[in-house]
Amino acid sequence: MADPTKNPTANPAAKWDLAADVVVVGSGIAGMAAAATAASRGRSVLVFEKGREIGGTSVLSSGEYWVPNNRWLRADGIEDPREDCLRYMARLSYPSLYDPSSKTLGLPANEYALLEAYYDRGAEAVDHLDEIGAIKSRYSPDFDKPMGKPEYNAHVPENRVPFGRHLLSEGGIHTSGQGAFLIGGVREYLEKQDAKVLHTHAVKGLIRDGEGAVIGVEVTDPSGRVLRARARGGVVFASGGFSHDPVLSHRYLRGRLYGSTAVTTNTGDFLRIAQNAGASVANLEMAWWGQTPLELALEKEGQLAGMSYFPWGDSMIMVNIDGVRVVNEKAPYHDRAQAHFHFDPTEKRYKNQVLIQIYDRYVAETPEPEGWHKVRAPIPPVGQFPDYLIVGETLAELAQEIGARLESLRAHTGGLALSPEFLPALEKTIERFNQFAREGKDLDFGRGETPHELNYSPPIRAGLKNQTMAPFEETGPYCAFLLVPACFDTCGGPRIDGEARVIDADDRPIPGLFAGGNCVASPAGQAYWSGGTTIGSALIFGYVGGLNAAMRAEQGA
Ligand SMILES: Cc1cc2nc3c(=O)[nH]c(=O)nc-3n(C[C@H](O)[C@H](O)[C@H](O)COP(=O)(O)OP(=O)(O)OC[C@H]3O[C@@H](n4cnc5c(N)ncnc54)[C@H](O)[C@@H]3O)c2cc1C
């Protein structure tokens, strides 16, 4: 075992205040999966949680996790071949590198190994947590479909399994708050194993021995006292992203972030701690992206209540300040939201920083089918007029109101204003969109051509050739709101290997330091493979990190 008295990063004479085989930092799903796994091997476990509540963002989430080749698929005789799945993951994660003829599909060795680990260890992680009774999994059902919704990218040729990789824990349904069942099961399990979960304990730094191995952490208790906690096998960080640190967000993300649904304690602590320990970092420009109405983001300091996931409505478009469409409005939220970050090299500005969602009276006044109210948001329920809504009796009046609203918010948009040609351009855009809707084919962005888009746009009127598109009514009123980029949390940070070990610039593991979830450079790279990519990554690499830290303790570290 490494000698703690050689520790160069803390007073060698100082005593340990607390000790466990495995120390976990953060009580979201990555941390809880690590803790449960280590405890299941009979190891003593200490979980430090900075917030007052246990469960992080995970407990608030809809609780779905994406797991290829899972046991429910296999039981149903549905094959999810490794090679196809890796190709699918690699193509979406690293589109500019992807090369199907290469041994690593064109990816650097470690990034490829992470995809392999996700595929190889995912089902193992789910099965283990199920066997020990911490998380009882099943297919994630949706409405009356037991296997749930189609994959977000079911149409991509490499994707051989359009249904069945979305899993959910028992209890509840796939909607916000389902995470309570996910985290609740693990909490109960940890209590039975006598694992300690301490809230209001913020980990501040690592304690390392003379060889650089991580042997513990410094943690502030609720009274502000700094404690030294010994970790005999290792420390697993699972402390979420940095979306609530404005300095880090501004420094790293690829564009302006207006809000995050993550818990406000996710301030990138591990990014600073691991960089100081020599970890290499990646994916820092990325987050799990979405969109939100600008005014909602501005009025809500801290945690954002919700995002626009699956834009509602058939006679509905999104345009930029030039009045032109710039994205397939029905594309998955993570991909669609990245349209905001396009830089105009001629005008030297981000002309899509604010997009304007516009729809007609029919969409505004037609209630959604039963059960779809959450998908309808942020289009307000029929008859409601929240402050962020902009209404005009004619397109000209709407354009004027949008211009005035943008003007009043210019301090928050880098001074964006509608282009002088906005109204005629918008009229042309709508005319062109109406033609596409009549013909059932969106020649500009291919809207409504994937199972995912069709799934989230149930027909709200008869007679459409493409249920996601209907011509705008010729007379108003028309409605609009301003949309800006937001996220679930960031997904860049220290790099890990396939064993969830944090690695340095030469891909060498830092002994005793493991991590998973949103605090690391996501194994998914730039992709959101489908619903459940974030919890899937957190659960799988949390499990792997917890297992390896436990094994290290067993071997006497
Ligand atoms: C409404 C909603 C629905 C969602 N639905 C889904 C879904 O269905 N599927 C999906 O994949 N994703 C979903 N997400 C996103 C998902 O919840 C997160 O990406 C995921 O839960 C992150 O897990 P994590 O363990 O990495 O981090 P978190 O769950 O955010 O946990 C990190 C924890 O670390 C703690 N912490 C931070 N710093 C320290 C420190 N220094 N010391 C100690 N503790 C620290 C934080 O307080 C926090 O509790 C949803 C999110 C929301 C808000």
Side-chain angles (χ1 to χ4, degrees):
M1 197 198 313
D3 178 1
T5 57
K6 287 198 207 155
N7 174 20
T9 57
N11 177 1
K15 289 204 185 89
W16 297 104
D17 300 294
L18 296 160
D21 290 329
V22 176
V23 165
V24 175
V25 185
S27 67
I29 188 58
M32 294 303 249
T37 304
S40 73
R41 294 183 66 95
R43 304 275 57 88
S44 58
V45 175
L46 253 176
V47 181
F48 293 122
E49 167 53 52
K50 180 175 164 184
R52 285 164 61 94
E53 307 292 335
I54 301 302
T57 314
S58 308
V59 79
L60 310 170
S61 77
S62 308
E64 190 170 75
Y65 31 111
W66 188 82
V67 183
N69 195 31
N70 62 60
R71 120 166 100 89
W72 293 268
L73 281 172
R74 293 197 301 273
D76 282 343
I78 300 168
E79 286 182 19
D80 190 354
R82 188 174 190 271
E83 280 178 12
D84 291 301
C85 190
L86 288 176
R87 273 201 287 270
Y88 168 70
M89 294 162 87
R91 175 179 161 184
L92 267 62
S93 297
Y94 300 95
S96 61
L97 299 180
Y98 178 61
D99 173 5
S101 68
S102 132
K103 228 171 89 186
T104 62
L105 302 176
L107 277 48
N110 191 64
E111 280 61 34
Y112 181 68
L114 286 172
L115 301 191
E116 291 187 299
Y118 196 110
Y119 181 92
D120 293 338
R121 310 296 296 274
E124 173 191 317
V126 166
D127 289 349
H128 180 74
L129 293 166
D130 198 299
E131 271 158 31
I132 63 174
I135 300 175
K136 288 280 167 198
S137 298
R138 57 182 164 137
Y139 281 137
S140 173
D142 203 9
F143 292 103
D144 54 349
K145 296 178 224 134
M147 281 175 91
K149 58 180 181 268
E151 295 244 326
Y152 290 0
N153 303 293
H155 60 293
V156 172
E158 287 84 354
N159 191 351
R160 293 271 301 271
V161 185
F163 290 92
R165 292 180 184 134
H166 304 126
L167 299 181
L168 201 64
S169 62
E170 293 286 353
I173 53 166
H174 177 228
T175 189
S176 304
Q178 164 68 18
F181 294 97
L182 185 66
I183 294 295
V186 191
R187 276 189 85 172
E188 267 176 43
Y189 176 77
L190 289 176
E191 270 163 32
K192 283 189 214 141
Q193 308 305 311
D194 281 334
K196 280 206 185 77
V197 184
L198 301 176
H199 66 79
T200 327
H201 279 69
V203 168
K204 298 289 179 197
L206 300 175
I207 301 175
R208 305 174 75 186
D209 68 15
E211 280 88 48
V214 174
I215 54 168
V217 294
E218 288 185 330
V219 53
T220 310
D221 78 2
S223 71
R225 207 160 53 109
V226 177
L227 307 177
R228 289 162 46 88
R230 174 83 169 100
R232 285 183 283 267
V235 177
V236 185
F237 270 82
S239 50
F242 57 85
S243 56
H244 285 294
D245 184 309
V247 173
L248 295 178
S249 296
H250 182 68
R251 185 184 300 161
Y252 294 121
L253 292 175
R254 59 183 293 203
R256 182 163 175 173
L257 176 68
Y258 281 88
S260 164
T261 60
V263 286
T264 54
T265 37
N266 288 359
T267 52
D269 299 356
F270 185 49
L271 181 56
R272 299 174 198 274
I273 291 170
Q275 277 179 313
N276 285 335
S280 65
V281 293
N283 223 35
L284 287 170
E285 72 286 5
M286 286 301 293
W288 307 114
W289 299 111
Q291 296 173 296
T292 192
L294 171 58
E295 294 88 330
L296 284 191
L298 295 177
E299 88 189 16
K300 186 106 177 96
E301 281 253 323
Q303 195 175 0
L304 202 61
M307 290 201 284
S308 169
Y309 300 111
F310 311 109
W312 186 253
D314 45 18
S315 39
M316 177 281 293
I317 54 172
M318 285 177 202
V319 297
N320 71 2
I321 54 169
D322 286 340
V324 297
R325 291 175 72 210
V326 295
V327 71
N328 174 355
E329 296 85 353
K330 302 281 181 179
Y333 41 88
H334 174 74
D335 301 337
R336 182 182 78 244
Q338 294 179 54
H340 286 283
F341 304 131
H342 172 72
F343 180 70
D344 186 304
T346 308
E347 295 193 21
K348 314 286 177 211
R349 55 184 183 150
Y350 290 95
K351 288 170 77 175
N352 302 349
Q353 186 164 328
V354 176
L355 291 178
I356 307 146
Q357 185 166 337
I358 298 179
Y359 53 99
D360 70 3
R361 187 205 55 85
Y362 186 89
V363 170
E365 294 182 0
T366 305
E368 66 285 353
E370 203 186 326
W372 287 84
H373 60 285
K374 289 207 167 155
V375 182
R376 180 185 181 93
I379 291 188
V382 176
Q384 290 189 20
F385 300 91
D387 288 347
Y388 62 78
L389 194 67
I390 305 169
V391 182
E393 283 305 318
T394 60
L395 279 181
E397 195 180 305
L398 187 78
Q400 203 176 13
E401 293 296 324
I402 295 169
R405 183 68 64 90
L406 266 179
E407 184 56 32
S408 71
L409 295 167
R410 55 181 298 133
H412 306 284
T413 65
L416 273 196
L418 287 189
S419 105
E421 296 307 311
F422 178 80
L423 178 59
L426 176 65
E427 286 166 343
K428 266 201 200 132
T429 298
I430 289 181
E431 213 177 287
R432 185 171 170 80
F433 175 81
N434 287 352
Q435 188 59 26
F436 293 162
R438 279 191 285 272
E439 288 162 7
K441 194 136 186 79
D442 174 9
L443 295 178
D444 291 339
F445 297 104
R447 171 162 147 180
E449 290 181 11
T450 74
H452 161 75
E453 292 171 31
L454 295 171
N455 178 65
Y456 280 107
S457 290
I460 53 171
R461 68 183 100 196
L464 297 181
K465 285 197 178 155
N466 176 334
Q467 71 200 44
T468 72
M469 297 193 292
F472 274 64
E473 290 185 341
E474 281 177 14
T475 53
Y478 300 100
C479 302
F481 47 83
L482 309 178
L483 284 170
V484 286
C487 73
F488 286 127
D489 203 351
T490 55
C491 56
R495 293 169 63 233
I496 54 170
D497 66 10
E499 295 295 339
R501 299 177 295 195
V502 178
I503 54 178
D504 69 12
D506 295 318
D507 289 2
R508 287 175 312 208
I510 298 173
L513 187 57
F514 302 87
N518 290 345
C519 70
V520 300
S522 169
Q526 74 171 70
Y528 204 92
W529 295 310
S530 193
T533 299
T534 90
I535 293 183
S537 309
L539 186 151
I540 295 166
F541 288 92
Y543 159 82
V544 172
L547 183 61
N548 283 324
M551 283 167 42
R552 233 174 139 256
E554 288 157 21
Q555 290 151 9

